[in-house]
């Protein structure tokens, strides 16, 4: 498309590639006159401003010259890369003169712009070229075979490349080789081209074809291949461009005959050697690939000839062409819309000539009639082939989990004729880890949590701590895990009972003068040696006896008495004896508090500088139920009223209180900076404190406050970004509905190849999304009657329900293949997982893409799919998968109207599961997805969205809500037990209904059938045997869709099992080939079955004797998570040492020596590969510990 | 010749596109590489692919030299063309999905200089808005701003629809980075960022990490990579910082999910990773090719394009 135009009849030169912004210099052409017949000349410089949408080019400078020009070039000599204009404009004049201009001075408006000038040539200088290797070398050509080489650094005397060629002739073109710097070529209108070697100072080869019709108007070297060049012929009888290779210089390598009349100018793109511009007397500007001869592009030009054409060196998509109608046009080779430009062009043309009367005839010239192109197509197509400069050869993109996807194309250049398949292209996936220390510390923390070695972890932290505060925080945290934590807290605060005792003794032995007494007991503590201080310490540590002694010693009888009352009957009586002897009172408030146990008031009113004492008092006296609240209160005061130092101390109060949330808030406030390590600092403490709280207080370990949740999710994000996805999952708060966490969990799970687990998963993470409601009706025609929903339902499941679940007794041999090939959870995962996103559709119904709809949802498909698609050769398979269903309905249609009913029955078995809740949720989950998908499968449905659901039993109706990510773990259990029980061998097919369906041909003829083929071309699994019927493909994709979103949770990263990770296509293939026997999950090897039975039995025993719900929950969870172990057993991927260790544990369980079991456990963990055992060993430890505790 | 490779939201699937007109999807879980789909429909080299957020299903957009944008969707395990947009007059060089909070919106930048915005309106219909002449002689890259509610970094009360301001950045052959903003349903040029002296090859708006600062990386034919930051909520004062001047074209920039690392891909086939230090200076932390620095660049898998 045309970008700019200038109304000049001029030669043109682009600024060199280094120059920014881009300029175009124009010099009045010596050979053309415009309608003014003016012979005045000028040199102008325009700026190419592409951000200006108008066609005008901004004129930067005009210099009135006394010369007109045959050739103008802009060399980069002495160029700097700055923003200033630089380089040298070199002009070839009419009288053998070569003039050097300084473009910077022209733009600056200087009067003196000429750097140098030489009149050395004979006749007009038509040929100029700058050597691209030594930009100070310029070659010029003129009449009489004159060629000079000019050194711009020493312009006075030019050199010659050798003896003049004979006969003498004009030199019309000259060009330096693009690869070899001392090679120069010149050409003359006679059609001969001469190649000069400047080192030898002579012509080394002459190129000419023998018909003598060539009339050279253009000469250009190949940008990349040193020996190739093109010559263009101006002769209308031979309007060709010849490509020569000097290695074979007897005849042209290739002749481009795309012009119908003589070629006036050519230009070879430096940015892409496959682009050669040529303009001719046929008024065409063509862009061809000189290497093939193919015309790639024809510029939408006017009908005038162009006599000069130039690529812009800096912007490879831009070119300029000077035409005989007095215009220089700037084009983009990339196509684009030219609307609005064309009209302007015509207007300007008319007006520029309109009022002229150059001949004095009194008659204005008629407007120039430009023959308009007949096709008023405003859209200009781009080059047929993408230019080299837009082909991105390299890229690196981050993706979730700190992965970096990189690709590169080492052979960036594609040579024609080279099969692309020979080029190997790789995409690399790398794990980027930038926070090594962060990860290391995170691993330590996880290890501590896993091994429950909290005390040593804290101790280690204390040892490592740089700052006192850090040390005390860890000391406080550590105390949480020790016996008698309150006493230890006191010690940490500086109150040791033993120390006090010593001091009391000292006091009693040597009389100490009464120290300062202060009514506010809290301010006296720093004078530890005085009596009140000692009393206080004694009180704070609960040492009544010492306190009473001190009071007595200090003549504080009332205090002594009162204290004695609190101290017990015996002490009281002893004290009373001495009471009357002495009487004085000082520290009444403390005494009051101690006696009345009103600690709240103390905490509220004490001087914050004495927070330690207040905390100590609380630690000593507060009742367990008010202890945490008092610590909190003190922390709050410190935080809100104290100075910055005290604020941080509030953390200690919160640690005592076990208030995780407040600790997070306080710590966050005290620490600035968002670096991973500071977050790690916080999380370490929080995790440890949470563990402590879980040990000591009966709180829900999963309860997480908003702030903590945010921090934890930040932390998880960081871990994920470093590639530690599994670790990230473990730190993500489990019980929260915060959307960002739910989203992150979902993402992490899936990234790990698992399905989200946990309660919150019940909620579709994206369901909040408001979506416009979809229009109903598009597919309505395909659905017949009320059965449609059921039908859709089945189809949607697109892996029919496992035998025994939805349709008791109805065995579907070909469906469970997934189960067979991959881990057994596929099916459940699918059931649960599928709807996650579809659920959105259900809510809005809007995403049944119009095009996809019909293709994907043929009402008949459910039946046909298994029949024809899954069985390339139905014959060998004696049982028809869908037979069982046939008896259940009398409809002629192969739907499954009865299906909803059967499922309630399947509920019963479900309830018999060891984990009833899971069974229930399973039921919900399973029907759910289909229901959801119904909605989206039938954008309009027969009557809208709900008929489908309303046809379902109540239990199923809840399906959509329960949705896609029902905890797979639960399902797993249910399924594992269930499937084999209910599994029934396929019933032989007898139904006549099925026969037509089984026939692929008839299948095809059914109305909905056309759709399947649509799918066929788009997916051809590579391993598909070529001969397989096309019909097959429509269906095989169906199961496929499940694959991506469903990953068996059981498959851990290290799993070598092929199936879970296998492409859907593969799975499907296997499915088709698998015999029915393989439907069930791979069994656990018999010799290891005892592991499962023993562990399960142990858990059951524990469950029976466990009383508190928390333990029960733990055990339930353990039961589920041991499934990982069982899967590994099925896969037989565990190393022999682990296996034997597990058997040893089982033996110890049988003898009820759980401690021994734990020892074996520790041994296994310490000697095995972490990744191998991490999925189940911690769980096993929990079970053993519980069993030990419960003594079952 | 591969032109783009993108992982899906979860990092479990890889989409690649190539000069051979194909778009391929691989399952790359657990270090494997299994071809899931080979999508044919383009009639020219395919430049870029972009995954939509999974809440809309499994959707992939691809753009090609053939002037088409194709949106592919997986239905029942089959990848199918669900929409084909042919509204550009020249090569479509870049596609980018808007943050999922806005709905299903795709921005497409073309060599015809225009940027198209395709919004899914439900029921298979797409609404097209076109910014003509966004970048003279071509738009090379588009990148959406993260969905952040202006002036409030705190979660909006539930039930209240957040008042998002939609923005995206584009880079083009006019050497400019432009920022576009939707006002009253119309897209307007909000900012024109000038620093590059040659084609802007790529722009990447950094993911939001909860800070009020917006950050954009841009790279250019001129070998320069700039980091643009804007601290004020109105989005008016952008200031560039030169990350580095490379000796070759810089083709691609990509932020890590946590927005603290920038991957820069150069024409010399080098990929470097950059990180901003505490004092605001950008430092190269790794040359992925050479495996230097604090990064372990482990090649987990490789695949043959054909």
């Amino acid at each position: 498309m045309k970008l700019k135009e200038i109304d000049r009849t001029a030669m043109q030169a682009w600024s060199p590639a280094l120059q920014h912004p881009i300029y175009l210099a124009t010099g009045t052409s010596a050979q053309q006159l415009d309608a003014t017949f003016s012979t005045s000349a000028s040199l102008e410089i325009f700026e190419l401003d592409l951000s200006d949408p108008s066609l005008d080019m901004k004129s930067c400078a005009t210099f009135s010259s006394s010369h007109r020009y045959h050739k103008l070039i802009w060399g980069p000599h002495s160029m700097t890369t700055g923003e200033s204009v630089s380089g040298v404009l070199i002009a070839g004049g009419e009288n053998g003169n070569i003039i050097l201009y300084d473009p910077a001075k022209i733009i600056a408006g200087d009067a003196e712009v000429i750097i140098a000038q030489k009149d050395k040539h004979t006749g007009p200088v038509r040929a100029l070229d700058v050597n691209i290797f030594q930009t100070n070398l310029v070659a010029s050509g003129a009449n009489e075979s004159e060629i000079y080489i000019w050194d711009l650094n020493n312009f006075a005397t030019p050199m010659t490349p050798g003896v003049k060629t004979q006969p003498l002739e004009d030199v019309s073109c000259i060009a330096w080789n693009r690869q070899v710097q001392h090679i120069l070529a010149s050409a003359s209108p006679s059609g001969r081209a001469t190649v000069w070697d400047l080192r030898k100072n002579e012509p080394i080869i002459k190129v000419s074809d023998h018909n003598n019709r060539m009339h050279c108007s253009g000469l250009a070297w190949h940008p990349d291949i040193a020996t190739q060049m093109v010559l263009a012929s101006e002769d209308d009888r031979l309007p060709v461009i010849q490509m020569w290779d000097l290695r074979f210089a007897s005849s042209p390598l290739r002749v481009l005959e795309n012009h119908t009349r003589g070629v006036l100018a050519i230009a070879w793109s430096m940015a892409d050697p496959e682009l050669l511009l040529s303009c001719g007397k046929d008024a065409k500007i063509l862009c061809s690939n000189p290497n093939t001869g193919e015309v790639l592009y024809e510029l939408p030009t006017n009908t005038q000839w162009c006599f000069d054409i130039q690529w812009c060196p800096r912007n490879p998509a831009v070119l300029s062409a000077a035409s005989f109608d007095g215009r220089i046009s700037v084009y983009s080779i990339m196509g684009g819309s030219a609307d609005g430009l064309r009209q302007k062009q015509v207007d300007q043309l008319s007006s520029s000539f309109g009022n002229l009367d150059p001949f004095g005839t009194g008659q204005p010239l008629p407007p120039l009639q430009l023959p308009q192109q007949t096709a008023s197509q405003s859209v200009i197509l781009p080059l047929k082939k993408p230019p080299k400069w837009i082909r991105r050869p390299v890229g690196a993109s981050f993706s979730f989990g700190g992965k970096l996807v990189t690709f590169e194309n080492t052979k960036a250049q594609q040579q024609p004729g080279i099969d692309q398949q020979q080029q190997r292209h790789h995409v690399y996936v790398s794990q980027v880890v930038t926070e090594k220390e962060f990860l290391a510390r995170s691993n330590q923390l996880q290890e501590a949590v896993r091994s429950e070695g909290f005390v040593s972890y804290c101790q280690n932290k204390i040892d490592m701590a740089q700052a006192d505060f850090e040390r005390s925080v860890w000391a406080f945290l550590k105390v949480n895990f020790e016996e008698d934590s309150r006493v230890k807290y006191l010690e940490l605060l500086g109150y040791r009972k033993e120390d006090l005792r010593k001091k009391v003794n000292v006091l009693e032995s040597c009389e100490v003068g009464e120290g300062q007494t202060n009514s506010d007991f809290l301010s006296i503590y720093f004078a530890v040696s005085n009596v009140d201080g000692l009393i206080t310490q004694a009180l704070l540590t609960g040492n009544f006896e010492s306190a009473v002694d001190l009071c007595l010693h200090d003549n504080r009888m009332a205090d002594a008495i009162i204290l004695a009352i609190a101290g017990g009957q015996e002490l009281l009586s002893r004290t009373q004896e001495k009471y009357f002897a002495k009487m004085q009172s000082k520290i009444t408030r403390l005494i009051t508090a101690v006696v009345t146990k009103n600690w709240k008031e103390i905490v509220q009113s004490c001087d914050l500088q004495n927070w330690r004492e207040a905390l100590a008092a609380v630690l000593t006296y507060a009742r367990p139920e008010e202890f945490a609240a008092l610590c909190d209160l003190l922390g709050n005061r410190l935080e809100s009223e104290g100075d910055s130092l005290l604020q941080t101390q509030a953390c200690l109060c919160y640690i005592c209180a076990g208030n995780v949330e407040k600790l997070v808030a306080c710590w966050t406030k005290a620490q600035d900076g968002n670096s991973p390590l500071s977050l790690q600092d916080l999380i370490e403490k929080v995790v440890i404190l949470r563990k402590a709280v879980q040990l000591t207080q009966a709180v829900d370990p999963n309860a997480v406050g908003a702030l903590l949740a945010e921090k934890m999710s930040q932390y998880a994000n960081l871990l994920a970004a470093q590639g530690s996805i599994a670790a990230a999952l473990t730190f993500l708060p489990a019980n929260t509905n915060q959307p960002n966490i739910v989203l992150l969990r979902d993402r992490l799970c899936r990234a790990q190849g698992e399905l989200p687990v946990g309660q919150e998963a019940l909620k579709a993470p994206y369901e909040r999304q408001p979506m416009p409601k979809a229009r109903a009706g598009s597919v309505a025609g395909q659905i017949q009657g009320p059965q449609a929903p059921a039908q859709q339902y089945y189809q949607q499941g697109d892996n029919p329900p496992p035998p025994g679940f939805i349709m008791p007794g109805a065995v579907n041999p070909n469906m469970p293949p997934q189960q067979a090939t991959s881990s057994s959870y596929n099916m459940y995962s699918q059931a649960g997982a599928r709807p996650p996103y579809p659920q959105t559709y259900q809510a809005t119904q809007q995403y049944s893409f119009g095009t996809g709809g019909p293709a994907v949802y043929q009402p008949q498909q459910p039946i046909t799919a298994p029949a024809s698609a899954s069985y390339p050769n139905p014959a060998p398979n004696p049982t028809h998968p869908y037979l069982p269903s046939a008896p259940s309905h009398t409809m002629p249609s192969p739907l499954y109207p009865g299906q909803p009913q059967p499922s309630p029955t399947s509920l019963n078995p479900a309830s018999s599961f060891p984990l009833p809740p899971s069974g229930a949720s399973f039921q919900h989950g399973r029907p759910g997805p289909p229901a959801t998908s119904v909605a989206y499968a039938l954008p309009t449905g027969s009557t809208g969205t709900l008929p489908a659901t309303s046809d379902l039993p109540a239990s199923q109706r809840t399906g959509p809500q329960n949705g896609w990510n029902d905890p797979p773990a639960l399902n797993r259990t249910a399924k594992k037990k269930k499937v084999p029980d209910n599994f029934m061998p396929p019933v032989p097919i007898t139904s006549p209904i099925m026969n037509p369906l089984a026939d692929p041909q008839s299948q095809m003829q059914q109305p909905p059938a056309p759709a399947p083929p649509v799918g066929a071309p788009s997916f051809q699994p590579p391993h598909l045997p070529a001969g397989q019927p096309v019909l097959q493909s429509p269906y095989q994709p169906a199961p496929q869709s499940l694959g991506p979103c469903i990953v068996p949770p059981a498959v851990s990263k290290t799993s070598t099992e092929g199936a879970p990770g296998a492409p859907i296509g593969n799975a499907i293939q296997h499915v088709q080939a698998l015999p029915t026997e393989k439907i069930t999950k791979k069994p656990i090897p018999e010799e290891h079955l005892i592991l499962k039975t023993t562990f399960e039995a142990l858990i059951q025993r524990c469950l029976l004797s466990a009383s508190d719900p928390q333990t029960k929950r733990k055990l339930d969870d353990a039961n589920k998570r041991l499934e990982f172990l069982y899967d590994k057993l099925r896969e037989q991927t565990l190393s022999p040492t682990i296996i034997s260790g597990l058997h040893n544990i089982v033996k110890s369980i049988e003898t009820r020596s759980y401690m021994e079991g734990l020892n074996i456990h520790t041994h296994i963990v310490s000697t095995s590969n972490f990744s191998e055992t991490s999925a189940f060993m911690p769980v096993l430890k929990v079970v053993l510990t519980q069993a030990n505790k419960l003594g079952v | 010749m591969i032109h783009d490779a993108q992982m899906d939201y979860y990092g479990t699937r890889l989409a690649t596109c190539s000069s051979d007109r194909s778009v391929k999807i691989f399952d790359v879980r657990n270090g494997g590489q299994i071809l899931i789909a080979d999508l044919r429909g383009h009639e020219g080299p395919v430049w870029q692919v972009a995954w939509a957020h999974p809440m809309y299903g499994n959707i992939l957009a691809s753009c090609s030299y053939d002037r088409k944008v194709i949106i592919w969707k997986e239905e029942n395990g089959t990848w199918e063309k669900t929409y084909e947009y042919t509204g550009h007059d020249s090569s479509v060089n870049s596609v980018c999905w808007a943050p999922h909070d806005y709905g299903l919106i795709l921005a497409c930048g073309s060599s015809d200089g225009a940027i198209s915005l395709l919004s899914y309106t439900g029921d298979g219909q797409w609404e097209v808005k076109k910014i003509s002449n966004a970048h003279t002689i071509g738009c090379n890259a588009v990148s959406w701003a993260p969905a952040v509610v202006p002036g409030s970094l705190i979660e909006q009360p539930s039930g209240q629809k957040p008042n998002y301001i939609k923005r995206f950045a584009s880079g083009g052959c006019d050497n400019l980075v432009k920022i576009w903003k939707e006002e009253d349903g119309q897209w307007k040029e909000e900012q024109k960022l000038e620093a590059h002296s040659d084609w802007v090859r790529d722009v990447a708006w950094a993911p939001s990490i909860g800070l009020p600062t917006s950050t954009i990386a841009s790279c250019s034919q001129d070998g320069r990579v700039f980091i643009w930051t804007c601290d004020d909520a109105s989005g008016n004062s952008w200031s560039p910082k030169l990350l580095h001047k490379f000796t070759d074209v810089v083709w691609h920039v990509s932020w890590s999910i946590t927005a603290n690392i920038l991957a820069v891909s150069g024409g010399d086939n080098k990929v470097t990773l950059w990180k901003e230090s505490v004092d605001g200076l950008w430092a190269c932390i790794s040359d992925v090719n050479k495996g230097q620095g604090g990064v372990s660049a482990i090649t987990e898998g490789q695949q043959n394009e054909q």
Side-chain angles (χ1 to χ4, degrees), chain A residues 253-548:
Chain A
L253 187 69
R254 189 171 292 110
V255 178
L256 279 61
E257 297 172 297
N258 302 315
H259 284 281
T260 54
R261 298 187 63 195
V263 179
L264 294 169
I266 54 172
W268 205 330
S269 169
M270 290 295 286
D272 186 345
E274 296 186 348
L275 301 180
L276 178 72
L277 284 173
S278 57
C279 53
K281 289 187 274 187
D282 54 4
K284 283 181 181 169
I285 300 178
L286 300 180
C287 184
S288 328
N289 182 350
N291 304 307
T292 63
E294 183 190 12
V295 176
L296 299 171
Y297 189 50
E298 179 173 347
L299 262 79
T301 59
N302 55 47
T303 53
Q304 292 292 325
W305 302 356
C306 289
F307 58 87
D308 189 15
I309 190 160
Q310 303 282 343
W311 288 103
C312 172
R314 185 176 184 87
N315 191 329
V318 168
L319 62 107
S320 63
S323 59
F324 282 121
D325 61 357
R327 183 179 303 116
I328 292 173
S329 303
V330 177
Y331 297 94
S332 160
I333 198 92
M334 293 305 293
S337 170
D339 283 336
L341 302 184
R342 203 172 291 277
Q343 190 52 43
K344 173 177 181 287
Q345 172 185 335
V346 174
D347 290 348
Q348 280 193 342
L349 274 175
S350 297
S351 63
S352 66
F353 293 103
N355 296 320
L356 290 175
D357 185 12
F359 301 105
T361 60
Q363 300 283 325
L365 284 173
L368 191 61
Q369 289 298 324
L370 288 178
Q372 293 291 319
Q373 280 177 313
T374 47
S376 63
Q377 188 190 6
S378 67
V379 171
I380 298 138
L381 300 186
L383 284 170
K384 275 184 196 160
K385 129 205 140 98
K388 190 179 164 188
W389 61 80
I390 68 168
R391 293 180 235 151
R392 183 160 83 179
V394 62
S397 302
F398 274 106
S399 76
F400 187 61
K403 292 201 190 82
L404 186 68
V405 183
T406 55
F407 63 91
E408 59 181 49
N409 296 276
T410 42
K411 277 197 224 162
Q413 184 167 0
Q414 293 178 19
Q415 295 296 335
I418 293 183
D419 192 347
Q420 279 197 16
Q421 296 200 4
Q422 292 175 358
Q423 301 186 20
R424 287 172 62 86
H425 303 294
H426 292 152
V427 175
Y428 298 93
V429 179
S430 322
Q431 181 69 52
V432 175
V433 176
T434 54
E435 304 287 348
K436 286 191 168 162
E437 189 190 347
F438 170 79
L439 275 188
R441 286 177 55 185
S442 176
N443 286 336
Q444 285 170 14
L445 176 60
Q446 288 169 59
E447 186 50 43
V449 171
R450 195 176 303 118
S451 64
E452 310 206 326
F454 300 116
V455 174
S456 61
Y457 182 78
C458 293
Q459 185 58 48
N460 193 31
K461 284 286 172 190
I462 294 169
D463 298 341
M464 304 289 290
Q466 304 283 331
D468 286 345
F469 176 65
E470 184 80 5
R471 200 171 297 127
S472 55
V473 166
W474 279 111
F476 270 72
L477 284 168
K478 182 184 165 205
V479 164
N480 277 308
F481 298 98
E482 294 173 345
E483 299 288 315
D484 207 4
S485 61
R486 284 203 192 185
V487 173
K488 298 244 169 67
Y489 279 133
L490 280 173
E491 288 176 5
L492 286 172
L493 285 167
Y495 299 98
R496 287 179 172 272
K497 286 193 173 181
E498 296 77 18
D499 291 356
L500 183 67
R501 171 59 63 198
K502 280 180 208 149
K503 282 171 185 159
V504 170
N505 293 340
V506 169
L507 190 66
E508 284 173 342
S509 58
C510 59
E511 281 289 334
V512 176
E514 191 172 312
Q516 165 199 17
T517 56
N518 191 311
S519 63
D520 186 348
F521 82 98
L522 287 170
S523 59
I524 62 176
Y525 286 101
F526 294 105
V528 185
S529 61
N530 78 37
V531 177
D532 281 4
L534 288 175
I535 295 173
T536 311
Q537 280 203 23
L539 289 176
L540 290 179
T541 54
N543 191 341
F544 288 98
E545 200 172 328
S546 301
V548 170

Side-chain angles (χ1 to χ4, degrees), chain A residues 765-814:
Chain A
Y766 307 120
E767 78 183 358
R768 291 187 307 145
Q769 294 308 315
M771 285 299 163
K773 196 152 169 121
R775 199 187 51 182
S778 61
V779 200
Q782 301 188 354
I783 293 138
Q784 339 153 348
Q787 277 84 24
Q791 172 184 28
Q792 289 289 343
Y793 163 73
Y794 200 98
Q795 155 191 10
Q796 273 311 313
D798 62 84
N799 51 337
F805 260 116
I806 302 292
M807 301 176 291
V811 175
N812 184 353
N814 49 348

Side-chain angles (χ1 to χ4, degrees), chain A residues 3 20 50-51 53 314-318 332 334-337 379-387 389-400 403-410 412 414 420-421 424-436 717 721 739 746-747 750-751 753 766 768-769 771-772 775 778 796 798 834 837 840-841 846-851 856-857 936 1014-1015 1018-1019 1037-1041 1043-1044 1046-1047 1051 1053 1060-1063 1066, chain B residues 1-7 9-14 16 19-20 27 29-30 34-39 45 47-48 53-59 65 67 73-82 89-91 93 100-101 104 111-112 120-124 126 133 136-137 155 173-176 192 196-199 201-202 211 251-252 254-258 261-263 265-267 269 271 273 275 285 288-289 294-306:
Chain A
L3 302 171
H20 171 75
L50 292 174
S51 57
R314 185 176 184 87
N315 191 329
V318 168
S332 160
M334 293 305 293
S337 170
V379 171
I380 298 138
L381 300 186
L383 284 170
K384 275 184 196 160
K385 129 205 140 98
W389 61 80
I390 68 168
R391 293 180 235 151
R392 183 160 83 179
V394 62
S397 302
F398 274 106
S399 76
F400 187 61
K403 292 201 190 82
L404 186 68
V405 183
T406 55
F407 63 91
E408 59 181 49
N409 296 276
T410 42
Q414 293 178 19
Q420 279 197 16
Q421 296 200 4
R424 287 172 62 86
H425 303 294
H426 292 152
V427 175
Y428 298 93
V429 179
S430 322
Q431 181 69 52
V432 175
V433 176
T434 54
E435 304 287 348
K436 286 191 168 162
N717 262 319
D746 171 67
R747 195 173 187 179
R750 286 164 188 273
Y766 307 120
R768 291 187 307 145
Q769 294 308 315
M771 285 299 163
R775 199 187 51 182
S778 61
Q796 273 311 313
D798 62 84
R834 250 218 92 210
Y837 302 114
T840 310
Y841 297 120
Q846 70 163 341
Y847 287 111
S848 54
F849 292 88
T851 59
V856 184
Y857 301 111
Y936 101 105
V1014 173
S1018 75
F1019 178 78
Q1040 250 180 348
S1041 78
I1046 298 136
V1047 185
V1051 180
K1053 276 209 161 179
N1066 274 344
Chain B
M1 185 167 177
I2 297 174
H3 294 298
D4 199 12
Q6 296 286 337
M7 290 265 212
Y9 179 79
Y10 301 112
T12 56
R13 288 201 269 186
L14 177 72
T16 64
S19 286
D20 69 1
D27 184 328
R29 277 175 303 183
N30 303 325
I34 298 138
L35 182 65
I36 298 174
D38 184 352
L39 307 178
W47 300 135
Q48 273 191 12
H53 192 276
M55 66 177 286
Y56 301 107
N58 291 317
I59 296 177
Y65 187 72
R67 294 174 280 135
K73 188 172 193 312
E74 188 192 50
E75 297 271 15
N76 297 331
T78 315
W79 282 91
E80 304 250 15
K81 187 191 292 185
T82 183
D89 301 328
S90 185
S91 171
N93 302 319
H100 63 86
D101 317 66
L104 206 48
S111 282
D112 67 6
Y120 189 65
T121 56
D123 199 30
W126 292 79
N133 209 15
T136 307
I137 72 165
E155 185 94 0
C173 299
D174 52 7
N175 310 346
L176 295 174
K192 195 187 278 184
H196 289 293
S197 59
D198 209 333
W199 289 10
R201 286 291 187 182
D202 198 11
L211 299 176
W251 285 92
H252 189 48
S254 171
W255 291 101
S256 66
I257 305 286
T258 44
I261 302 172
L262 185 72
S265 318
N269 274 339
V271 175
L273 301 181
K275 193 175 179 194
I285 56 169
V288 170
N289 279 7
V295 173
S296 57
I298 305 146
T299 299
E300 285 186 345
Q302 52 175 223
Q303 67 194 47
N304 210 329
E305 186 197 5
Q306 288 292 334

